[in-house]
Amino acid sequence: MMTREITIHNSASELHRVACFVEDIGNELGLDGELQMNLNLVLEEMLSNVIRYGQSQQADDSIALKAESNGEEITLTLSDHGIEFDPTAKGDLDTDVNPAERQLGGMGIFIVKNIMDQVTYQRLNGMNVVVMKKKL
């Protein structure tokens, strides 16, 4: 069982630390480059949304990221004190609509849902908690 955690500040400048975190996990678990790239993309999308839209007036603007793997699956858990937001509540993107005519937004969670096998959301003790799972 592998468990790693990192806490970042609510700032886009921290995304490089997350990329290094994913690379370290990928190396430890022996993940191929494509899967590492996809996991990094998922976290970049989710964290960018938290950083851009989720800021509240809370003193604690940190975002916690936990990665766990049992060798068969990797679980990524994001927790933040931001404004309550359930990314899984957004309907799936209609890919039949011309991108130029599509409403703005929603592409990031669409990407996340397509890469990950399971994405769940809970509001626990005033925190957003998003759990994403991917079979290895």
Side-chain angles (χ1 to χ4, degrees):
M1 185 76 176
M2 182 273 317
T3 301
R4 297 279 175 272
E5 295 184 55
I6 185 174
T7 301
I8 65 167
H9 295 290
N10 197 334
S11 167
S13 65
E14 293 274 50
L15 293 176
H16 76 280
R17 288 184 56 216
V18 174
C20 292
F21 179 75
V22 171
E23 186 177 345
D24 290 347
I25 290 165
N27 291 339
E28 184 173 338
L29 295 175
L31 304 181
D32 66 45
E34 182 181 1
L35 182 53
Q36 283 188 48
M37 187 179 72
N38 282 338
L39 293 176
N40 194 50
L41 176 62
V42 161
L43 290 173
E44 192 173 300
E45 286 295 336
M46 296 301 287
L47 289 167
S48 293
N49 282 343
V50 172
I51 291 165
R52 208 174 288 134
Y53 307 114
Q55 296 161 341
S56 68
Q57 301 308 310
Q58 295 281 344
D60 184 359
D61 70 346
S62 62
I63 304 166
L65 169 58
K66 179 159 73 169
E68 299 173 284
S69 178
N70 59 8
E72 294 176 20
E73 179 178 68
I74 187 163
T75 302
L76 303 172
T77 305
L78 281 177
S79 307
D80 70 85
H81 293 273
I83 297 164
E84 185 171 351
F85 176 69
D86 179 357
T88 66
K90 188 152 181 71
D92 286 340
L93 209 58
D94 184 353
T95 54
D96 295 332
V97 174
N98 179 330
E101 297 169 9
R102 204 179 283 147
Q103 278 188 305
L104 283 177
M107 198 65 194
I109 191 63
F110 176 76
I111 291 168
V112 170
K113 284 179 175 178
N114 275 288
I115 290 174
M116 302 306 282
D117 295 314
Q118 182 182 12
V119 181
T120 58
Y121 170 84
Q122 286 183 291
R123 184 76 177 179
L124 295 172
N125 303 321
M127 294 183 74
N128 294 303
V129 180
V130 177
V131 178
M132 300 167 287
K133 297 180 181 224
K134 178 76 176 167
K135 288 179 182 61
L136 299 177

